[in-house]
Amino acid sequence: MSRTPAHRSRVVVIGAGIVGCSLADELTARGWTEVTVLEQGPLPTPGGSTSHAPGLVFQTHPAKTMTEFAAYTVRKFGSLAADGLPCFLPVGGLEIATTEARWADLHRKAGLAASWGVRGELLTPAQCAQLWPMLDGTRLHGGFHTPDDGLARALPACRAQIARAESRGARFLDKHTVTGLEKADGRITAVVTDRGTFPADHVVSAAGFWGPVIGAMAGVDVPLLPLAHQYATTAPLPELAGAHAPGTEAIRPILRFQDRDLYFREHLDPAGGRLGIGSYAHRPMPVDPFGIPAYDTSPPSSQLRSSRRDPHAMPSSLPFTEEDFAPSWQDALDLLPALAEATVERGFNGVFSFTPDGMPLLGESRELRGFWLAEAVWVTHSAGAAKAVAEWMTDGRPAADLHECDLARFEDAQRSPAYIADRGAQNFVEVYDVIHPLQPMEQPRPLRTSPFHSRQQELGAHFLEGGGWERPHWYEANAPLADGIRLPERDAWSARYWSPIAAAEARATRERVALYDMTPLRRLEVTGPGALDFLQHMTTNNVRKRPGAVTYTLLLDESGGIRSDLTVARLAPDRFQIGANSPSDLDWLLRHAPAGVHLRDVTSGTCCIGVWGPLARDLVQPLTRDDFSHEGFGYFRARQTYLGHVPVTALRLSYVGELGWELYTTADLGLRLWDTLWEAGREHGAIAAGRSAFNSLRLEKGYRAWGVDMTDEHTPYEAGLGFAVRRDKEFLGRAALVDAPLTRTLTPLLLDDPAAVVLGKEPVYVDGLPSGYVTSAAYGYTLGRCIAYAWLPPLAPGTGVHIEYFGARLPATVAEEPLFDAKMTHILT
C-alpha cells in the first residue's frame, strides 16, 4: 500500500493518448489530484495510435465487460465537447452481410446486443441502402443497425479531458521520454525521463504499443504485439457532397463489410466529402516496439496522389503499402459501385496493439507494487477501461468484472515472444471473422499436452484447446457406441465442434465408467505452519478440518464478489492441494500470503484422471490395498495411496454427478497410471470420455463454472452457492455479504422443445422483455433437453421464458435444482 494517504497519492501516467488522458480525468474526478501525465511526443497530437485512430465505436462485443467499456465511452465522450464541437458523433453503426454465414452471424450479434443492453435492429437490404445509398443492395442479405454507436473524436476527447484534469490539479508534460523506472523494496518509486525524475506512489503504463518497452524497464511482462493496419482516404466524392452543419465530420453510420475485412466512415469538410477505408484483409505486419522511432525521427507515411502532408510524421503512421491495399480497393468497388471513378488520395499503415487473446491488459503488477498497466485498449473501450482502472486504484476494486482483462491471466507458456507473435497475428487475421465460441486458435498447436496424449491420439481424440492445453472433446473410438442413440438434428452452428459421440460418452459415464483427462485443472500447493490460518481467512467455507478432508469453497474479494471457486484438500497438517481455475487465483493468493506460507503451481509437473461412473469402484478397488468403499473412503475425502505401481493422491469428488475419484500423480508416471486404469477397466466396459460429455453431465448436476456462470460481479447467494459460505467465521469479503433480497439469481432453464439447442450468451426474455442472458448451456443427454443457466430476476420453477437463438424465440421453463439425482444416490454409494 502507498505510504501516503490515498487522496495524496502521487500518480504518474506514462502516455497521453486516449487511455492516459481518460485515466487522468477519472482519477482526478475521484479526488486523486497529484497526477502527472508524461508524453514523449508533442501535445495535443503525440503520435501514438490515438493520433491516427479512425474512432469507430461499435459497442457490441462477445465479452460483456468490453461492451460495458464501450457503452461508457459512448456516454462519456457524448457529454464532452472541444472547440464547441461534440467528442462523440452518434451516427450509428451498420454491419452488412453478403453471405448467408454472415447474415446468420448478425442474428447472433443482435442476440449479444440484447443480452448486454445495446439497442440494435436487423435490416433488409433495402433498409441498408436507405442508410447508405452508395451500397449495392443486390449483394446484401441484410444488415444490423445499432443507432447508438458512432464515431469517437479521439484527439478532441483528449483535449477536453486534459482541460478537466488540469482544472483539478493534474499536469501534462509533453516531450518527456521515459528512460527508466526507480524501485525500492518491491515497489515503484519514480519515473526517470530525459528531462528529470518524477517521484511516484503509483505509475500507470498507458503507453500503447510502447507498453512492452515500459514493461521491460519495470521487469514486468507486457504480452502485447504491435501490428500495422491499413487506412486509406479517397479524394472528394460527389456522392458525399452537400450541405451539412459546420464541423460535421460524418452523417451516415459507420459501415462494416466484415465479409471482406473492411470498414468505411465519412470524412466531411467544407471542401466536400471523402470516404475513409480501413482494411484488415492484408497480411499481418508486426512491428517491433523496441525499434519504433521517436516522434521527431519518424519517416513520413505515404500520401499517394496528393501534395498534402501531415505537419509531422508520427511513429504510429508507417508508409502505406499500396500493393497490400489493392485487393481491398477492388472489394470496396464491388460493394460501393459509386467508387468506380474515385481514387485513393492518402493512406498509411497505422500501428496498434494486439494481445494473445485480443483483450486488454489491466491491473497492478504483483512483482512491482504500484506499477499498473492500462494497455492494449482501443479508442472504442478507452473511457470504460480507464474508469475501471481508476476505480481499482482508488476504491480497491473495479465495478466491472475484469477477469478477462487481468494481466495475470496468461499461463507461462503463453508469455513467450513467439507465442505472443503467433497469437497476436492470428487475432489480427480474425478481427472480422465469424468465430465460434469453441473455435480454437490454429497456432501454436500442440503446445501443452498431458502425459496421456499419445493414448488419446490412438483413440481418435478430437482436440480443442484452452490455456494452451490440448483437451479431448470426444473420441472417435467411441463412435460405435453412438449407434442407436436418437438425438435431434442440430443446426450448422451448434453442430460445429460437436459430435453425437458425446452422447454415447455421457451414457457410458452414467451406466458404466469413463476416464476423463483432468490434467488442465489447475493445482496449487500451499504449505507452511501458517497455511491453515491463511486459507481459513481467504476462503468462505471451513477448511479447519482433519487431514484427509476436502472442502468446496470460494474466494471472494473485499466487496463479496466471487473471484473463484476452489476445492481445498488438506493432505497433511501444513500441506494443502487446491483445485483452482486460472493463473489469477495464484496471483491473488500470493498477494495476500503472509511470511511462512509458501504457494506454488504444481499443474505442469502433475496430471489427473477423473474416474467416474457406477462401476468406478469396481475398476479402482482391485488396484489398491486401501479401502475404497463408501464407508472407508467417503465423499469429499482425500487419500494418498498406490494404484498398481503408481503413487497417487485420490480425491473422492465428482463433477459429473457419478461415483468416482480424481486421481493425481506426477507427470512422469502419468502414462503408467492411464495404462493401469485402462487395462483394469476393460472388463467393466470403461471408455475414455471428453469435455463435451463432461460439460453436459456437470450441467445436469448444476455444477457452476467460474468465469462463465459467475464472476466477481456476483455474490455467493446470487450464484446459488450460499452452502459454501460459513458466516460464523471471519474471511475476506465476509463484511460485504448482506442478507438482502436477491434481485437476480443464476437460474436453471430447460428448453421446452427436445430438438432445441443454445450455446451461451443468448438473451432471455421474460414477458416479452429482455431480462437476462445465458451463461452455460449444453444438451442434457440424460434429461433429453437442452439445459441453459441464465442470470435472471428471481423466478419460480415452472415459469415460462424465451431464449433468443439466431433471431428465433425458443420457449424454455425455469427448472428446480438439481436437475439430476436430487437425492445424490449416484454419488453417495
Side-chain angles (χ1 to χ4, degrees):
M1 299 299 293
S2 172
R3 295 187 179 91
T4 58
H7 68 283
R8 299 289 297 170
S9 291
R10 298 164 299 176
V11 180
V12 174
V13 179
I14 301 173
I18 192 63
V19 177
C21 292
S22 296
L23 180 58
D25 183 49
E26 296 288 339
L27 286 171
T28 55
R30 288 166 173 78
W32 282 28
T33 56
E34 293 194 24
V35 176
T36 300
V37 182
L38 301 175
E39 173 54 57
Q40 64 175 342
L43 292 174
T45 309
S49 300
T50 300
S51 301
H52 65 68
L56 280 64
V57 179
F58 282 88
Q59 296 172 81
T60 307
H61 190 281
K64 177 173 173 283
T65 296
M66 297 295 277
T67 300
E68 291 172 348
F69 284 174
Y72 182 78
T73 301
V74 168
R75 294 194 302 272
K76 182 175 185 181
F77 290 179
S79 70
L80 296 176
D83 305 322
L85 297 174
C87 293
F88 181 78
L89 306 177
V91 295
L94 177 63
E95 302 178 57
I96 51 98
T98 59
T99 64
E100 290 186 5
R102 181 68 61 180
W103 183 226
D105 189 59
L106 290 185
H107 282 76
R108 186 174 70 96
K109 183 165 285 185
L112 283 172
S115 289
W116 311 147
V118 177
R119 286 201 306 152
E121 181 184 9
L122 292 165
L123 302 182
T124 66
Q127 290 172 313
C128 293
Q130 286 180 339
L131 287 174
W132 258 87
M134 294 172 66
L135 277 171
D136 178 5
T138 64
R139 295 198 56 194
L140 306 185
H141 289 263
F144 179 51
H145 180 225
T146 45
D148 300 323
D149 291 340
L151 292 166
R153 300 176 64 238
L155 288 175
C158 283
R159 295 204 306 273
Q161 293 180 103
I162 288 172
R164 294 206 312 192
E166 286 181 332
S167 72
R168 303 181 190 118
R171 57 178 177 165
F172 288 75
L173 304 177
D174 64 359
K175 299 182 181 178
H176 280 64
T177 299
V178 175
T179 58
L181 300 174
E182 293 183 355
K183 321 160 198 175
D185 301 324
R187 285 199 62 87
I188 193 83
T189 58
V191 178
V192 182
T193 76
D194 58 351
R195 299 176 67 178
T197 297
F198 297 83
D201 302 302
H202 298 274
V203 172
V204 185
S205 176
F209 52 75
W210 283 286
V213 178
I214 303 301
M217 297 178 189
V220 174
D221 252 352
V222 181
L224 173 161
L225 177 71
L227 285 141
H229 157 61
Q230 292 199 299
Y231 192 79
T233 309
T234 68
L237 299 173
E239 292 80 5
L240 299 184
H244 51 264
T248 301
E249 290 187 17
I251 298 172
R252 294 177 178 86
I254 316 160
L255 180 65
R256 287 212 284 199
F257 182 22
Q258 292 168 299
D259 288 322
R260 290 294 183 271
D261 296 309
L262 293 172
Y263 62 82
F264 306 84
R265 61 150 294 182
E266 293 175 307
H267 291 277
L268 304 180
D269 57 46
R274 296 172 171 80
L275 195 63
I277 306 171
S279 172
Y280 293 98
H282 54 81
R283 61 191 168 89
M285 303 178 190
V287 177
D288 179 4
F290 293 88
I292 298 172
Y295 189 100
D296 294 330
T297 59
S298 300
S301 58
S302 171
Q303 304 300 313
L304 297 179
R305 304 167 179 87
S306 172
S307 60
R308 300 194 317 143
R309 295 181 59 85
D310 293 331
H312 301 281
M314 294 189 296
S316 61
S317 299
L318 303 182
F320 190 68
T321 49
E322 295 183 61
E323 65 278 9
D324 289 306
F325 191 72
S328 292
W329 178 244
Q330 186 58 55
D331 288 332
L333 295 178
D334 292 342
L335 182 72
L336 306 171
L339 294 178
E341 303 300 321
T343 59
V344 174
E345 183 179 74
R346 305 172 64 222
F348 64 93
N349 292 0
V351 183
F352 62 146
S353 304
F354 283 81
T355 58
D357 59 4
M359 298 291 282
L361 298 167
L362 307 178
E364 183 186 18
S365 167
R366 177 175 49 81
E367 294 88 354
L368 182 60
R369 302 305 298 270
F371 181 75
W372 296 75
L373 294 184
E375 297 290 6
V377 180
W378 297 0
V379 171
T380 302
H381 309 106
S382 55
K387 173 177 175 284
V389 174
E391 290 169 340
W392 207 342
M393 295 176 70
T394 60
D395 301 334
R397 75 177 301 274
D401 162 45
L402 296 189
H403 82 275
E404 292 175 291
C405 307
D406 190 334
L407 59 90
R409 69 187 181 270
F410 293 113
E411 308 277 354
D412 287 344
Q414 297 173 305
R415 292 180 173 275
S416 70
Y419 186 95
I420 294 166
D422 286 347
R423 289 294 170 98
Q426 187 67 22
N427 272 307
F428 178 90
V429 170
E430 294 180 350
V431 160
Y432 280 170
D433 285 3
V434 177
I435 303 294
H436 192 278
L438 293 176
Q439 182 173 330
M441 282 283 191
E442 296 177 0
Q443 295 295 333
R445 290 184 64 196
L447 180 62
R448 307 177 78 186
T449 59
S450 78
F452 330 125
H453 188 252
S454 61
R455 297 292 187 263
Q456 293 165 343
Q457 288 178 308
E458 293 167 3
L459 294 170
H462 183 89
F463 293 100
L464 299 182
E465 183 262 356
W469 288 101
E470 294 295 315
R471 302 178 182 224
H473 273 241
W474 65 83
Y475 294 85
E476 288 297 330
N478 297 324
L481 300 179
D483 294 342
I485 296 180
R486 299 186 62 182
L487 296 171
E489 186 175 348
R490 290 201 171 205
D491 64 278
W493 186 252
S494 63
R496 289 184 68 185
Y497 307 105
W498 173 84
S499 169
I501 296 172
E505 293 176 359
R507 175 181 286 184
T509 307
R510 291 276 187 244
E511 296 178 352
R512 299 191 305 279
V513 62
L515 308 185
Y516 288 83
D517 182 359
M518 302 300 292
T519 299
L521 177 69
R522 180 165 305 280
R523 291 171 291 286
L524 309 178
E525 183 182 76
V526 184
T527 58
L532 174 59
D533 290 339
F534 169 64
L535 292 174
Q536 186 76 342
H537 169 68
M538 293 298 297
T539 67
T540 60
N541 213 336
N542 179 30
V543 299
R544 197 177 295 280
K545 300 173 182 175
R546 290 178 300 170
V550 182
T551 306
Y552 176 81
T553 187
L554 307 173
L555 285 179
L556 304 185
D557 62 18
E558 291 86 349
S559 69
I562 305 172
R563 280 197 59 94
S564 190
D565 64 339
L566 312 175
T567 54
V568 178
R570 191 176 189 187
L571 303 181
D574 296 331
R575 182 163 68 92
F576 296 80
Q577 177 177 301
I578 294 179
N581 287 294
S582 79
S584 297
D585 293 344
L586 177 60
D587 183 79
W588 177 256
L589 292 170
L590 285 170
R591 288 174 186 269
H592 292 85
V597 173
H598 306 285
L599 295 99
R600 66 188 185 107
D601 189 326
V602 298
T603 309
S604 297
T606 56
C607 58
C608 178
I609 300 173
V611 181
W612 290 307
L615 301 182
R617 184 175 288 116
D618 299 274
L619 190 160
V620 174
Q621 182 63 82
L623 300 174
T624 179
R625 295 180 180 181
D626 287 322
D627 183 2
F628 269 56
S629 69
H630 181 61
E631 295 75 17
F633 196 156
Y635 193 46
F636 267 79
R637 298 292 298 172
R639 173 174 293 168
Q640 292 176 300
T641 185
Y642 290 87
L643 295 182
H645 297 88
V646 181
V648 300
T649 298
L651 274 58
R652 189 175 167 196
L653 305 176
S654 177
Y655 286 99
V656 299
E658 296 292 337
L659 170 69
W661 290 265
E662 292 176 359
L663 303 173
Y664 298 88
T665 193
T666 52
D668 60 319
L669 291 166
L671 190 59
R672 184 59 177 262
L673 176 62
W674 179 280
D675 289 345
T676 298
L677 295 169
W678 188 257
E679 184 60 32
R682 288 181 183 275
E683 64 178 289
H684 304 294
I687 66 162
R691 300 286 299 185
S692 187
F694 176 91
N695 199 44
S696 170
L697 295 168
R698 69 104 180 163
L699 281 178
E700 288 186 331
K701 196 61 183 167
Y703 294 142
R704 278 69 165 141
W706 184 85
V708 179
D709 296 316
M710 72 276 191
T711 69
D712 62 9
E713 288 187 331
H714 310 109
T715 70
Y717 305 112
E718 293 173 327
L721 298 176
F723 67 88
V725 177
R726 289 287 297 271
R727 296 283 287 273
D728 59 351
K729 70 159 196 167
E730 292 296 326
F731 56 85
L732 183 64
R734 178 185 181 277
L737 297 178
V738 296
D739 297 316
L742 300 179
T743 59
R744 60 180 178 178
T745 60
L746 187 60
T747 305
L749 305 174
L750 286 176
L751 275 75
D752 294 352
D753 182 354
V757 173
V758 299
L759 300 181
K761 299 189 177 182
E762 296 87 358
V764 182
Y765 290 78
V766 180
D767 296 329
L769 298 176
S771 303
Y773 58 91
V774 173
T775 58
S776 294
Y779 199 84
Y781 301 110
T782 313
L783 303 177
R785 290 284 192 281
C786 182
I787 306 161
Y789 272 77
W791 281 104
L792 291 169
L795 299 171
T799 303
V801 301
H802 287 84
I803 303 174
E804 184 177 301
Y805 181 72
F806 286 91
R809 300 279 178 90
L810 307 179
T813 302
V814 175
E816 194 162 5
E817 291 189 284
L819 305 176
F820 172 79
D821 188 26
K823 296 183 178 180
M824 297 283 284
T825 56
H826 284 245
I827 295 177
L828 303 180
T829 182

